[in-house]
Amino acid sequence: MYNSKPRIRPANKHNQHTDFIAKVVQQLRDDESKLAIIKGNLEEYRQQRFLKRGFLTAIERFDWVFEASDNIEDICQQILADDYIGQRLRRYPLLFKGIL
């Protein structure tokens, strides 16, 4: 018999990068000097000629985060935040290359 109600798929709250990002944030909290690795990654990708617009936006948002605060806890909270900036930063795990 035909069911008139549409099937609603449950939201997938577990992103494939969630575990990686959690480990990165823990490493940053343990060793604040690893922020230099992220800044180096940002500079490396900024020098590349052809990047997706979304990736360039993520780099710009990371610059905003670093300008807003130099406190490691504030930076980690922004990476984990469920707002536009946090989601944009987590979308590109290459920005965190070399942390783990």
Side-chain angles (χ1 to χ4, degrees):
M1 183 167 236
Y2 179 72
N3 188 356
S4 63
K5 293 182 183 177
R7 268 181 44 178
I8 298 174
R9 211 176 264 210
N12 185 6
K13 297 248 182 201
H14 185 73
N15 191 340
Q16 64 181 354
H17 304 297
T18 304
D19 295 334
F20 174 75
I21 296 297
K23 290 176 185 175
V24 164
V25 168
Q26 188 57 47
Q27 285 292 319
L28 290 174
R29 286 180 174 148
D30 292 343
D31 186 5
E32 207 171 308
S33 66
K34 293 196 177 195
L35 284 177
I37 295 173
I38 294 176
K39 291 178 181 180
N41 289 342
L42 295 176
E43 194 56 41
E44 176 186 338
Y45 290 120
R46 204 176 277 123
Q47 300 302 319
Q48 293 185 13
R49 292 183 70 183
F50 302 105
L51 286 177
K52 291 172 54 176
R53 180 70 195 135
F55 200 88
L56 291 171
T57 302
I59 291 171
E60 183 179 296
R61 298 307 181 259
F62 235 131
D63 289 339
W64 288 5
V65 169
F66 286 133
E67 286 180 23
S69 176
D70 60 352
N71 181 352
I72 188 68
E73 193 56 38
D74 292 342
I75 294 169
C76 290
Q77 285 179 0
Q78 185 58 59
I79 292 170
L80 295 173
D82 199 26
D83 60 1
Y84 173 77
I85 294 175
Q87 290 172 359
R88 179 64 61 179
L89 298 180
R90 291 189 307 270
R91 186 177 296 169
Y92 299 98
L94 278 176
L95 296 174
F96 304 104
K97 178 179 72 174
I99 299 294
L100 298 181

